[in-house]
Amino acid sequence: MHYRDPNIGERIENLFSTMTVSSRVTTARTVAHDFASGTMDADDYKLAEQLLAFLVNDIEEDVRQAIAEQVQSYPDLPKEIAMQLAMDINSVSLPILKNSTVLEDRILIQILKYAEDIRQVAIASRSELSETVTDAIAEFGCYDAIVTCLDNETATIGRHGFNNIIIRFTHDDEIHELIVKRPHLPTETINQLSHIISEELKEKLFQTYPIPEEVATRIMTNAQEKTLYDQIKRRNSLIDKQKAGRQLFADGRLSPTLILRSLLENDLTFFTIGLSLVSGISIRRVTALVSDRGPLGLKRLYEKAELPPYLYLAYKTALQESAKMKSQHPHSNVRSKQGAMIQKIARAYNFDETISMENLLEKLLPHPNITIGGGP
């Protein structure tokens, strides 16, 4: 049998038509193995290619699977055969999708868009995945494909890919941990992660990567506000707190998060002073509006003060929880009230409910890259 025989197709068909399934499987495995070995002379190679082109259409799954297993890593596999195997059933396609270098990025992306989960995972586990393919996995890959891609140390993941993964899985700790473990995270990705990951993961992140300037600024700003409030807290009289509030307002340091901090510290005196100063409304009127059980009182006051819209939910949640604790648990201590308020605010913003007050306030500082849920 020679590949130049004008009747080669008919001869091959006749050859295999009389073979048992087990014989066809054995023959397919042998031919595919020799074809991928690179040891054949030119004529035998051409003949083997024609045999494989016939056998990849065999009705028996085991025959096609035997071929796929033998040629999955062969770099010179004809593209037509690779494509046919890649589009076959899972037992045949998965070795090719996972290992064949014949499949170009554009082909892998097209397959990814419409593939079932198990095929997406196979592609995500490929060695040396390009950024183009990982961008596609990040955009429309299933959960397991995302996990596999992040766990694939040879995959190249870029800023765009990380951004899509973070947006899709903002509240998934497993995904966050896998990203933190990745080498060579872009600065933008580190910034994004710092706003959404747990304190434990943030500590791990900054053991590996330097703290970005934006994150360092936020940490410093929050620490300064904590120090500032610690000084205010030591002033017991209304007059002293008013003096401190006026000075801070004049210096431009009476920030929305500093006022919120006083509420979380159960310091309603400074809280009302702060709102009075930023809104231009008397302390008595502010007290009445804040005490109003309905939402409109606080909302009007908040809008009058022109405070950031995204923080309104934190103010409202903290006040409601404070009133609830006062009514239902009148003998609870400050720390219990604070814990309840922090937990409710964290839940409202989809943060980790075990978050500390400092980490919560740091997350609630204004920042340009992440939009926090909530609003009036």
Side-chain angles (χ1 to χ4, degrees):
M1 188 182 295
H2 194 278
Y3 79 96
R4 293 184 185 276
D5 186 337
N7 298 314
I8 186 64
E10 184 179 342
R11 290 180 181 278
I12 291 174
E13 185 175 355
N14 290 334
L15 172 67
F16 290 112
S17 64
T18 58
M19 276 191 187
T20 63
V21 173
S22 60
S23 294
R24 296 205 307 277
V25 170
T26 300
T27 301
R29 183 178 294 113
T30 301
V31 172
H33 175 271
D34 292 345
F35 181 75
S37 68
T39 59
M40 286 182 162
D41 62 33
D43 286 352
D44 287 344
Y45 184 86
K46 286 291 187 181
L47 178 59
E49 184 177 343
Q50 289 180 314
L51 290 170
L52 290 179
F54 179 85
L55 287 168
V56 293
N57 293 293
D58 196 288
I59 194 172
E60 293 295 333
E61 171 187 342
D62 289 349
V63 173
R64 306 192 306 277
Q65 183 179 349
I67 295 171
E69 289 173 350
Q70 295 300 318
V71 301
Q72 60 183 301
S73 300
Y74 182 45
D76 295 321
L77 182 67
K79 187 177 295 185
E80 295 77 10
I81 294 178
M83 284 295 297
Q84 188 162 344
L85 293 171
M87 302 307 293
D88 208 321
I89 61 176
N90 289 339
S91 62
V92 178
S93 67
L94 294 182
I96 301 297
L97 292 175
K98 183 175 181 180
N99 297 304
S100 179
T101 57
V102 177
L103 300 179
E104 301 168 351
D105 284 356
R106 61 180 182 82
I107 295 173
L108 292 172
I109 292 170
Q110 283 300 114
I111 294 173
L112 271 166
K113 287 181 179 179
Y114 307 105
E116 57 190 299
D117 291 3
I118 192 171
R119 294 177 185 239
Q120 289 191 344
V121 171
I123 293 173
S125 67
R126 289 171 63 91
S127 178
E128 307 297 337
L129 270 180
S130 72
E131 187 173 326
T132 303
V133 178
T134 60
D135 278 354
I137 293 171
E139 184 176 353
F140 42 72
C142 67
Y143 184 86
D144 287 342
I146 298 289
V147 169
T148 301
C149 181
L150 289 172
D151 207 34
N152 183 348
E153 295 181 359
T154 68
T156 300
I157 306 176
R159 178 185 59 81
H160 183 69
F162 282 123
N163 183 60
N164 271 331
I165 293 172
I166 289 171
I167 289 173
R168 290 182 61 192
F169 302 99
T170 304
H171 309 297
D172 192 295
D173 289 341
E174 181 182 358
I175 295 290
H176 297 168
E177 185 166 7
L178 287 171
I179 296 175
V180 168
K181 290 179 180 178
R182 291 289 307 182
H184 315 304
L185 289 178
T187 300
E188 180 181 324
T189 301
I190 298 171
N191 284 337
Q192 288 176 295
L193 284 173
S194 71
H195 301 310
I196 62 173
I197 60 178
S198 66
E199 292 180 74
E200 181 182 354
L201 280 180
K202 188 185 292 187
E203 185 176 338
K204 289 182 181 178
L205 178 67
F206 294 141
Q207 285 175 354
T208 306
Y209 296 96
I211 300 177
E213 183 179 350
E214 180 198 329
V215 177
T217 299
R218 294 169 62 77
I219 293 173
M220 184 180 300
T221 299
N222 188 62
Q224 289 171 342
E225 289 195 354
K226 181 182 185 303
T227 301
L228 198 56
Y229 181 73
D230 286 343
Q231 295 171 359
I232 295 167
K233 188 163 57 175
R234 290 196 289 269
R235 304 191 179 200
N236 296 320
S237 71
L238 173 62
I239 293 176
D240 284 346
K241 286 183 183 289
Q242 285 179 314
K243 286 181 179 178
R246 290 194 197 101
Q247 187 61 57
L248 289 172
F249 183 65
D251 294 342
R253 293 192 293 165
L254 189 57
S255 68
T257 43
L258 181 62
I259 297 172
L260 177 62
R261 180 184 287 273
S262 67
L263 176 58
L264 295 178
E265 291 280 5
N266 202 40
D267 186 351
L268 292 177
T269 300
F270 189 79
F271 178 68
T272 53
I273 290 170
L275 285 180
S276 172
L277 288 165
V278 297
S279 66
I281 299 174
S282 69
I283 292 179
R284 180 177 296 180
R285 181 64 178 149
V286 167
T287 301
L289 290 171
V290 167
S291 301
D292 186 352
R293 291 299 180 90
L296 293 180
L298 175 64
K299 187 175 181 181
R300 291 195 187 105
L301 172 60
Y302 198 90
E303 291 172 349
K304 175 69 175 175
E306 298 183 349
L307 294 171
Y310 80 91
L311 272 180
Y312 172 75
L313 184 59
Y315 276 67
K316 182 178 73 170
T317 303
L319 279 171
Q320 288 176 342
E321 191 60 27
S322 177
K324 178 182 174 182
M325 291 288 289
K326 184 176 180 181
S327 171
Q328 297 181 2
H329 307 282
H331 302 298
S332 60
N333 58 36
V334 172
R335 291 301 162 213
S336 296
K337 291 180 181 178
Q338 184 183 88
M341 286 189 284
I342 290 169
Q343 186 180 56
K344 283 298 178 73
I345 293 172
R347 188 178 302 164
Y349 285 88
N350 290 316
F351 295 151
D352 180 0
E353 292 184 24
T354 62
I355 193 171
S356 69
M357 185 172 77
E358 295 310 319
N359 201 22
L360 174 67
L361 288 168
E362 183 188 318
K363 286 178 181 287
L364 291 176
L365 285 168
H367 48 82
N369 293 327
I370 300 290
T371 300
I372 303 176

